[in-house]
Amino acid sequence: MNDQQLLKAAQFSPDYLNVISAWTGHLPFAAWIINELKPRLFVELGSHYGASYFSFCQSVLENKLETQCYAVDTWQGDDHTNQYGEDVYAQVNKHNKAKYIDCSHLLRMTFDAGLEEFEDGSIELLHIDGFHTYEAVSHDFNTWLPKLAPGAIVLFHDTNVYERDFGVWKFWEELQQTYSNTLEFKHCFGLGVLQLPDASADKLSLWAEWNDAKKAIIINYFASLGERQQNRHAMGQYKAQAYNLEQALKQAS
């Protein structure tokens, strides 16, 4: 683990911040893990407005990596995000074409249909953030597992959500019994980080050998960076609301 890259994560400034997202507190980690792992192929399952996805893409460009990024989503919503209109995909597609056309690809399809787009053993970084029931997340992981390269890293959002019928936390507990190389961030609804076995020496995360005290250092570090981004996001929302109110008052006067 490169200390300079950890410091660089503190300087990361997302350029696609002021959108609806439950992932804002993990954006510095997204930037860091891309640069740390330098995957040839990154896939995100479930992108919604694209806040998480475009932070991965931004890190690819800023670090001049050769990573190819894919977002797989129907952009129609589900029972957890609610259904949403065509405007969401239009916004994501517009930003993607403007900023990341050379490294990013939007696959508008179901996760199961997306399996046909990738060779077995090819994906080195996978972010699973689709429908959050236990059955859905376990299905997503197990169906995409053959597509993952040895030593691939898999991210699971919402490991710290226990309400409604969210079941990522339960599946995450089961995975930790099977896979020894894991981290979990509790902030911003929780993010589970799992590395598959048989990583090559240049892909093996150093936290595999860390004790709990050392793991706590990086967990707290990224939690503090995430809090700063959440504050920036909140301030952006307040400014937007203030501007809209000002315009409404002008029209009413």
Side-chain angles (χ1 to χ4, degrees), residues 9-22:
Q11 301 169 350
F12 179 68
S13 181
D15 63 10
Y16 191 76
L17 185 62
N18 291 321
V19 295
I20 297 172
S21 177

Side-chain angles (χ1 to χ4, degrees), residues 3-78:
D3 289 346
Q4 290 300 316
Q5 290 185 11
L6 282 173
L7 292 174
K8 193 173 183 179
Q11 301 169 350
F12 179 68
S13 181
D15 63 10
Y16 191 76
L17 185 62
N18 291 321
V19 295
I20 297 172
S21 177
W23 224 85
T24 306
H26 300 299
L27 300 183
F29 181 78
W32 174 80
I33 194 66
I34 278 282
N35 199 24
E36 177 73 16
L37 185 63
K38 295 177 173 60
R40 287 165 294 186
L41 186 57
F42 160 65
V43 176
E44 179 173 272
L45 305 180
S47 294
H48 201 184
Y49 275 97
S52 59
Y53 180 69
F54 286 132
S55 285
F56 289 109
C57 293
Q58 183 179 338
S59 186
V60 167
L61 258 61
E62 289 182 350
N63 293 293
K64 298 179 172 61
L65 304 180
E66 297 181 356
T67 305
Q68 288 296 302
C69 305
Y70 289 81
V72 184
D73 201 323
T74 62
W75 279 280
Q76 294 176 341
D78 56 41

